[in-house]
Amino acid sequence: MQLLRNLIVGLVAIGLGACASPIFNGGEKAQIIEVKVTKASPRIGSANLEEAVRYKTQNAAYKYSEEGPEHTLNLKITNLQITDPITAFLLSGNSSIYAEATLTNTTTGKSHEPFFVAAVIPSLGGVAGAAMSIGVDRFEYEQRLSGMLAEQTMERIYGSDHSERVANRKPTKEVSPQYPFSYAEARKEYECRRIIQNNKEVRQDAEHLNTEPDTSLLIDLPANCSAGDISK
């Protein structure tokens, strides 16, 4: 049910973004000098997701404008859905990312009305979609969605006409990612969280049914995982 709500919210966000007036329009000059990214839940995506979105969005912002009043952009990632066989079969094969954005003038301290942005990698659903999703690298998709979200956010702020004008523009500066973990570490951290969460849910289901956990559904926790990771 939660996934279905997220899909609906994402479609609404995309629809609103397509028809909403850009925040900076009519030739108004403005630039975004700092992008800050948070997650609504630490369980959303990998430990590197925030940094992936931050640096890609900042570089997109430099491409769109390096002139005018300075602004900061706050992005709160509210959901990330990477396709998997069960979700693809039952609901949708799409992969998506959703965020709430707030733009603030650094001189006046005034913030524009928050808005929602989303990016989607479309894919088939049903049996075919489930089969296709088996080979998906969730970290590669996370990176793709981060870049797509960056572009969608800038287009929402500056408008599609400006997006076309700067499509080939080379900004005078760019930032590099400062990932908190290597992607090898991020993969390990994600796998630990996945196993711990799976085992927690199996035990909770058994508790609700007043039975013993089905040991065939429990996954052995690798030695390099910590049970404390469930809090991450």
Side-chain angles (χ1 to χ4, degrees):
M1 184 60 70
Q2 181 62 43
L3 176 57
L4 182 58
R5 284 197 294 268
N6 288 332
L7 290 171
I8 293 172
V9 169
L11 291 173
V12 170
I14 293 171
L16 291 176
C19 62
S21 297
I23 294 174
F24 301 136
N25 53 27
E28 178 184 3
K29 291 184 178 180
Q31 59 180 314
I32 297 169
I33 61 165
E34 184 179 14
V35 176
K36 301 176 182 178
V37 181
T38 58
K39 296 191 289 192
S41 166
R43 299 183 190 282
I44 297 174
S46 78
N48 286 342
L49 176 60
E50 291 155 294
E51 179 59 11
V53 172
R54 184 201 68 82
Y55 99 88
K56 289 173 187 263
T57 305
Q58 184 63 75
N59 285 337
Y62 287 149
K63 183 181 75 171
Y64 270 71
S65 178
E66 295 181 85
E67 298 180 283
E70 297 180 346
H71 291 72
T72 59
L73 174 65
N74 284 275
L75 284 171
K76 181 170 75 173
I77 302 168
T78 56
N79 193 62
L80 173 74
Q81 176 63 39
I82 306 296
T83 185
D84 63 76
I86 294 176
T87 304
F89 179 74
L90 296 176
L91 284 175
S92 168
N94 294 347
S95 296
S96 53
I97 187 170
Y98 315 127
E100 181 180 359
T102 305
L103 195 62
T104 303
N105 185 303
T106 59
T107 301
T108 65
K110 181 180 179 181
S111 296
H112 293 266
E113 191 73 21
F115 59 93
F116 291 94
V117 285
V120 177
I121 299 174
S123 186
L124 296 173
V127 176
M132 291 172 61
S133 70
I134 293 174
V136 166
D137 184 323
R138 66 177 299 107
F139 293 94
E140 177 188 342
Y141 267 47
E142 180 176 294
Q143 283 285 318
R144 286 179 59 188
L145 287 166
S146 296
M148 292 168 66
L149 183 71
E151 288 296 331
Q152 289 291 334
T153 302
M154 289 304 107
E155 186 167 333
R156 174 65 180 83
I157 292 171
Y158 290 94
S160 56
D161 290 343
H162 188 77
S163 177
E164 293 178 4
R165 288 194 295 270
V166 302
N168 298 315
R169 179 178 180 272
K170 299 295 183 183
T172 63
K173 54 190 172 184
E174 66 176 12
V175 296
S176 299
Q178 302 294 324
Y179 291 121
F181 301 98
S182 69
Y183 265 93
E185 292 173 315
R187 288 175 186 275
K188 190 212 82 169
E189 188 262 356
Y190 170 78
E191 186 62 16
C192 290
R193 280 197 288 137
R194 185 189 69 81
I195 293 172
I196 292 169
Q197 185 63 29
N198 172 83
N199 292 348
K200 180 181 178 181
E201 291 174 356
V202 169
R203 292 189 176 97
Q204 286 178 336
D205 289 344
E207 184 178 341
H208 291 157
L209 296 172
N210 198 27
T211 62
E212 290 297 316
D214 184 344
T215 56
S216 68
L217 299 177
L218 295 172
I219 304 172
D220 290 336
L221 191 65
N224 60 4
C225 292
S226 167
D229 288 344
I230 193 63
S231 64
K232 293 182 180 180

